Amino acid sequence: MTISETQGDTAVTIVTQTSVRSDSTVAFEAWQTETSQIIATFPGFLKQTMLPPSPPAQDDWVILQRFADSDSAIGWLRSSKRLERLTLVQPLLTGRADVHVVRGMSNLPAPSPVSAIISTRVKPGCEEAYRRWEQKVAVTQAAAKGLQGYRFEPPIAGVQADWLTILRFDTQENLQAWLDSPIRARILAEAADLTEEFHYRVARTGFDQWFPIPKEGTKAPAVWKQNMIVLLMLFPVVFLFGTFVQVPLLQERLGIPFSFALLIGNVASIVLLNWLVPWTNNGFLWWLNPRVPDQRRNDAKGTLLIAGTLIVLAIIFWKLL
């Protein structure tokens, strides 16, 4: 959840987490595409990012909508256009949707494998006591294993009634260990008289959803292994799209300049990789997260297999031209 540095500390991100019916995924994506076209016309809008579910860590859809300032973000939240869109999407959803406004940039948590977005409804008149309690929590959780960042946001009058906390951890296991820890349960009990409602949702960020969540006792896949998996899928996608779509169709038939045709190709490649990389991971779990005594031999076997496959593909593509 980073915000463009060109916007300074005035930038605002609207974070929406919602659950979609299992039989309504396609319809929801179409609804979101139409909504993206509408929000792009609003003053101050910068960018929208959609993160699909990534079970078991993240069961929800996460939509990040970035605006240049708070007034622009609130203008969208209160607009009649947004209310119309929400009416249309309700039949596709299950349960409640959480919408939070995160202000500022410099201390916003950077992308990480997993984050928890915690919403708390504080009883009227207990705001200062809740602030003091939250400071106590911050000191205690600083010692939690794997904690990488922490963000605390007060309510925004007329827009967001809940107090918002964002916790950033290096792994799902470490996050869950803190959420389930006895010390945290004891601290939460101390705030029972101060709060009306409390719940949290988990969100994975960035391109981490391409790769499997490490199980207990294992580490996340090495970066160089992730890069090789991406390369294994990226090479044939780029070649095939360039050979059969970009050059003959986009450039020669439609007359699109090379730079724009290349941009279209890059967009198509990223969209395809979002499906191909997770699918490929299933066949390489033995290599990404090995549990064998001789890990070096295992690493070598997987590396040679991918390198050999890339060489074979290069030869096949060479013969096709």
Side-chain angles (χ1 to χ4, degrees):
M1 285 181 282
T2 57
I3 298 176
S4 172
E5 293 184 3
T6 60
Q7 301 303 317
D9 289 338
T10 63
V12 168
T13 298
I14 300 174
V15 182
T16 303
Q17 289 182 268
T18 188
S19 297
V20 179
R21 290 165 53 100
S22 59
D23 59 351
S24 302
T25 299
V26 174
F28 177 77
E29 290 178 338
W31 173 87
Q32 189 60 57
T33 298
E34 295 176 358
T35 304
S36 300
Q37 296 171 351
I38 294 173
I39 194 176
T41 65
F42 272 67
F45 175 75
L46 300 177
K47 182 181 179 182
Q48 176 170 285
T49 302
M50 240 185 12
L51 302 178
S54 181
Q58 176 188 314
D59 296 322
D60 306 313
W61 286 79
V62 180
I63 299 98
L64 310 178
Q65 297 166 329
R66 307 178 187 184
F67 287 83
D69 51 51
S70 180
D71 289 341
S72 299
I74 294 174
W76 162 249
L77 288 174
R78 292 176 172 173
S79 68
S80 59
K81 290 283 188 180
R82 177 174 176 271
L83 294 178
E84 291 174 6
R85 300 302 299 169
L86 292 179
T87 300
L88 293 175
V89 80
Q90 286 304 316
L92 309 179
L93 307 181
T94 61
R96 59 176 288 176
D98 285 349
V99 180
H100 301 295
V101 179
V102 182
R103 297 169 291 187
M105 179 203 69
S106 58
N107 59 344
L108 194 67
S112 70
V114 64
S115 299
I117 302 176
I118 304 171
S119 302
T120 306
R121 187 72 54 85
V122 178
K123 293 180 179 179
C126 297
E127 291 80 7
E128 289 304 316
Y130 180 77
R131 281 184 179 274
R132 292 192 296 271
W133 174 85
E134 180 66 32
Q135 292 172 357
K136 179 179 179 180
V137 176
V139 172
T140 304
Q141 73 189 6
K145 181 181 178 182
L147 181 68
Q148 294 186 340
Y150 163 76
R151 173 84 177 194
F152 181 60
E153 286 282 343
I156 299 176
V159 176
Q160 176 177 297
D162 294 342
W163 294 69
L164 178 65
T165 304
I166 302 176
L167 298 177
R168 179 164 53 93
F169 277 78
D170 58 349
T171 67
Q172 169 69 20
E173 286 72 25
N174 285 336
L175 169 61
Q176 200 62 49
W178 166 248
L179 293 176
D180 296 339
S181 65
I183 186 172
R184 181 173 180 274
R186 186 168 61 252
I187 296 176
L188 288 179
E190 297 176 4
D193 294 335
L194 307 177
T195 60
E196 295 179 348
E197 183 182 353
F198 165 87
H199 73 279
Y200 70 86
R201 285 181 168 179
V202 175
R204 300 187 73 195
T205 55
F207 291 104
D208 301 294
Q209 69 267 20
W210 281 358
F211 295 94
I213 301 172
K215 297 179 180 179
E216 188 172 355
T218 65
K219 297 180 180 180
V223 174
W224 67 272
K225 290 185 178 182
Q226 297 180 19
N227 290 338
M228 289 195 70
I229 293 290
V230 173
L231 178 61
L232 180 62
M233 291 293 98
L234 182 63
F235 174 51
V237 167
V238 171
F239 178 87
L240 295 173
F241 187 90
T243 301
F244 297 105
V245 179
Q246 180 178 320
V247 174
L249 179 60
L250 300 182
Q251 293 180 236
E252 296 179 356
R253 180 173 298 183
L254 300 180
I256 297 176
F258 170 75
S259 59
F260 287 96
L262 181 62
L263 175 61
I264 295 173
N266 288 338
V267 172
S269 298
I270 291 297
V271 171
L272 289 173
L273 288 183
N274 275 299
W275 298 95
L276 292 174
V277 172
W279 174 74
T280 306
N281 287 333
N282 292 331
F284 280 90
L285 291 178
W286 58 272
W287 181 65
L288 290 169
N289 297 110
R291 288 190 175 186
V292 296
D294 190 353
Q295 183 171 327
R296 290 186 178 180
R297 170 181 277 186
N298 199 69
D299 288 347
K301 287 170 59 179
T303 302
L304 290 174
L305 177 58
I306 293 179
T309 303
L310 288 169
I311 292 173
V312 170
L313 287 174
I315 294 173
I316 293 174
F317 295 156
W318 172 44
K319 295 296 183 180
L320 285 176
L321 295 180

